[in-house]
Amino acid sequence: MLDTAFNMLGPDDALLTDIMIDLGGKHRRYGVKAEMLPVMGEAVLRALELCLQDKFTQEDEKAWKETFAELSNDMIKGMAQMG
């Protein structure tokens, strides 16, 4: 799902927002809680660092954190709508 989301950044922002809100609602039905999303984001960040090592720059890390924050905020909106 992350690859799809990243490919939609830019010209399809509104569609991506709708998809992420819907995805948040689905995750809520699976029992995922909003406070779990930052943990997942950190896990993916650490995996990127381990896999890419010195190819994973500070700029990459900053971009990942900003992008994941936006995507997870939309998912949290979807979770709240289900609540």
Side-chain angles (χ1 to χ4, degrees):
M1 185 64 191
L2 286 175
D3 59 334
T4 301
F6 287 129
N7 288 332
M8 295 181 74
L9 293 173
D12 295 324
D13 283 347
L15 177 59
L16 178 58
T17 296
D18 292 343
I19 290 170
M20 297 309 293
I21 289 171
D22 183 59
L23 185 63
K26 289 177 182 175
H27 277 65
R28 170 78 185 236
R29 288 191 294 272
Y30 304 145
V32 176
K33 297 179 181 171
E35 57 268 18
M36 296 175 176
L37 294 179
V39 175
M40 186 187 90
E42 283 297 315
V44 173
L45 179 65
R46 297 298 160 235
L48 289 169
E49 289 174 343
L50 288 171
C51 291
L52 299 174
Q53 298 178 359
D54 59 344
K55 294 177 185 171
F56 190 67
T57 67
Q58 288 181 338
E59 184 177 293
D60 294 330
E61 180 177 357
K62 182 178 184 266
W64 164 255
K65 286 180 177 180
E66 289 174 7
T67 301
F68 188 81
E70 290 298 320
L71 295 174
S72 61
N73 283 338
D74 289 337
M75 286 183 69
I76 291 167
K77 288 177 190 173
M79 290 175 171
Q81 290 174 5
M82 293 296 299

